Structure formats: C-alpha cells, structure tokens
Amino acid sequence: TQGYSSAASDVYKRQLLYRAFNNLISVILILAKRRTSMDIITRGTKFYEGKNNTLYWTNNPYIIEMEAKNETSNLISTLLFKLLSNNGIPVHFICSGTNSISKRVRKANIININAIGRFVCDESFSKRYGIDPGIVFDDMVFELQYINEELKNPFISSSAAGYGLHIASISDLLEIEEITYFAGDIIKYFFEECNLTPVDFKLKFGYDCQTRELLVCGDISDNTCHLLDETGNLITKNTIKNISNIELAYQKALKKF
C-alpha cells in the first residue's frame, strides 16, 4: 500500500484539480440556466430520517438539505467536505443550510458500497485476520464493503464489485480507491490536530443526478469515523461535544494541504 499512500502525490492532486475545475465549469453553466430557482433555496418536506442525519427536499430538484443531530458533528462534516473540495476531490457538499446543524448537498444516486480506510486494527479486522487489535498499520488499509443488510454488508473486492455485481465500473472503483487514500491523508491530519487518533473512516460515493459526476457523498464526521481521545478511549456522541479546537485544526489543514 506504500505506493497508494502516495495517492496524495502532486501528480494525482493536479489530475483531481483539473477534473474538478472542468466539473465546476459544467455545474456553473447548469446552475446559471436555473438561476431563477436558485435565487432563494428553501427547505421543503422531510423525506428520510436516519440514525445520524435527516434529509429534506428543497425548492430546487437537484439540491437536498441534510440536517445532523448536533452542531459539533455538522461542523466537523462541513469543514472536512470543504478540505476535500479545496484539494480537488469532488463532493456533494454545497454550502451551509437553514440552521447551525444543516448543510445543502447535491442530489446523488448512491453507489451500494462503503469505502473504508483503516489506520489502526479494530475488533472487526482482528477477528477476520487474527492479528491483535490496536496495532497501528504501516500505511492506511483500504477496504470495500457491499451494502446489503440481508448479506450482513460483506467486504468485497473491486473485481467482484465491478465485474461480478456491476455495482460500478472498474474505472470508477479505482477512482474511489484513489480518492479514499487521498482523503485519508486529509482526514487523519485533521483529527490528529484535534488531539484525536483516527482508527478508521467510511466514505460513501454517488453519481450527481444532474451531471453524473462521481462524488463523495453522505457524511464525514464522528458518525462515520472511530476516534480515540488522548487517553485511548473511544469518542462517543457525548464526548465529541467537548472537542474545542476543531476550527484551528481546519486552519492548519488548509495550510498543510
């Protein structure tokens, strides 16, 4: 995996930035045609409520409002999406939403996989491969998980996902892997600057409903990451609210990446 942790290499950054620039131009042209409906975005009816987020329609058919359960989780998610976007990674995040716990995102068709990046061996990895939990990996470990509750969300190879189940094209799956490694560098640095140790993180991907662009979707926060505090205890929904240096970590990450 050492070659892949050079996924944050200058070459790959330039490729992402070039692609993001072209995609941005396309989105601007599309939104310009819909300027009237974009002047004022208003929240509509709720259409989904999950464990961590609630989704609302807006008066724009291609924009959804996502509301988190608390301000801290929403702040972390917002800042991480901004960091990824600033580094050329395509994301569904657009801007902040109606209130301090919401954000507006591009509507996307979600791909039925989770991309998982692991920095430390957890119980799940330990049981599957027989190594001690708590071991810090030499480099980030990348895994794909097939989202299928009946099958208990099994782990899957890119080949099986692409050629066998046709979940996504092989080229898109390779892109997902590259993005996950690059995003992993940013996410790890951000949380370490918050004095937290990231164990792992999960990314969702989807296709923009309007442009078909591959996007990082869903949520990126304490809800989708396992984090340890300075004493080695797992961060919970109650203790995450005590993290006070989130904005400073964001500013440092902006300079780093």
Side-chain angles (χ1 to χ4, degrees):
T1 59
Q2 186 62 40
Y4 266 119
S5 194
S6 294
S9 67
D10 290 341
V11 173
Y12 186 57
K13 284 182 180 180
R14 286 197 295 270
Q15 290 174 343
L16 278 175
L17 288 170
Y18 177 76
R19 191 179 308 134
F21 176 76
N22 286 331
N23 288 328
L24 177 62
I25 296 300
S26 299
V27 171
I28 290 173
L29 292 174
I30 290 170
L31 294 181
K33 293 179 182 178
R34 297 178 174 272
R35 183 177 177 182
T36 302
S37 62
M38 282 292 294
D39 283 342
I40 300 176
I41 300 296
T42 57
R43 179 193 283 192
T45 57
K46 177 173 68 176
F47 69 91
Y48 172 80
E49 183 163 7
K51 182 171 63 175
N52 300 316
N53 290 282
T54 303
L55 303 182
Y56 296 85
W57 298 117
T58 71
N59 59 331
N60 185 297
Y62 298 105
I63 295 177
I64 289 171
E65 187 150 300
M66 175 183 291
E67 188 171 86
K69 299 300 182 184
N70 63 73
E71 289 187 13
T72 305
S73 294
N74 186 62
L75 177 61
I76 291 172
S77 180
T78 296
L79 296 181
L80 281 173
F81 272 123
K82 285 182 177 180
L83 284 171
L84 298 190
S85 181
N86 286 345
N87 281 276
I89 296 176
V91 299
H92 74 157
F93 173 83
I94 300 173
C95 62
S96 297
T98 303
N99 52 46
S100 61
I101 59 172
S102 66
K103 54 185 169 288
R104 289 171 183 154
V105 301
R106 294 154 69 178
K107 184 180 178 183
N109 293 318
I110 301 300
I111 302 170
N112 279 346
I113 56 170
N114 289 325
I116 298 174
R118 300 187 186 278
F119 305 109
V120 180
C121 179
D122 67 353
E123 292 290 342
S124 167
F125 198 91
S126 173
K127 288 178 181 178
R128 279 185 285 136
Y129 299 109
I131 62 175
D132 293 334
I135 290 177
V136 178
F137 297 126
D138 295 338
D139 201 346
M140 192 196 89
V141 173
F142 171 80
E143 293 187 300
L144 282 179
Q145 187 178 34
Y146 177 35
I147 303 174
N148 186 313
E149 291 186 4
E150 290 184 3
L151 300 177
K152 299 181 180 180
N153 301 325
F155 289 94
I156 189 172
S157 68
S158 296
S159 178
Y163 294 130
L165 300 182
H166 305 291
I167 295 172
S169 68
I170 290 295
S171 60
D172 281 349
L173 290 165
L174 290 174
E175 177 80 359
I176 285 170
E177 184 172 356
E178 289 179 327
I179 287 175
T180 303
Y181 272 102
F182 187 13
D185 289 339
I186 297 171
I187 292 169
K188 185 173 186 288
Y189 181 86
F190 173 83
F191 281 122
E192 287 178 343
E193 288 300 319
C194 293
N195 298 320
L196 301 173
T197 300
V199 176
D200 56 40
F201 67 94
K202 176 175 65 179
L203 298 181
K204 288 187 179 295
F205 288 81
Y207 297 107
D208 185 292
C209 286
Q210 200 169 15
T211 66
R212 293 295 298 167
E213 179 188 4
L214 181 66
L215 305 172
V216 178
C217 297
D219 190 17
I220 314 173
S221 69
D222 55 295
N223 295 319
T224 58
C225 306
H226 288 113
L227 305 165
L228 304 178
D229 64 17
E230 293 175 282
T231 63
N233 291 318
L234 194 66
I235 288 289
T236 66
K237 293 185 183 300
N238 292 325
T239 55
I240 192 68
K241 298 174 184 178
N242 299 325
I243 307 302
S244 59
N245 52 346
I246 296 171
E247 291 279 4
L248 179 60
Y250 172 69
Q251 294 301 326
K252 288 185 176 180
L254 276 179
K255 294 178 181 179
K256 172 75 173 178
F257 296 94

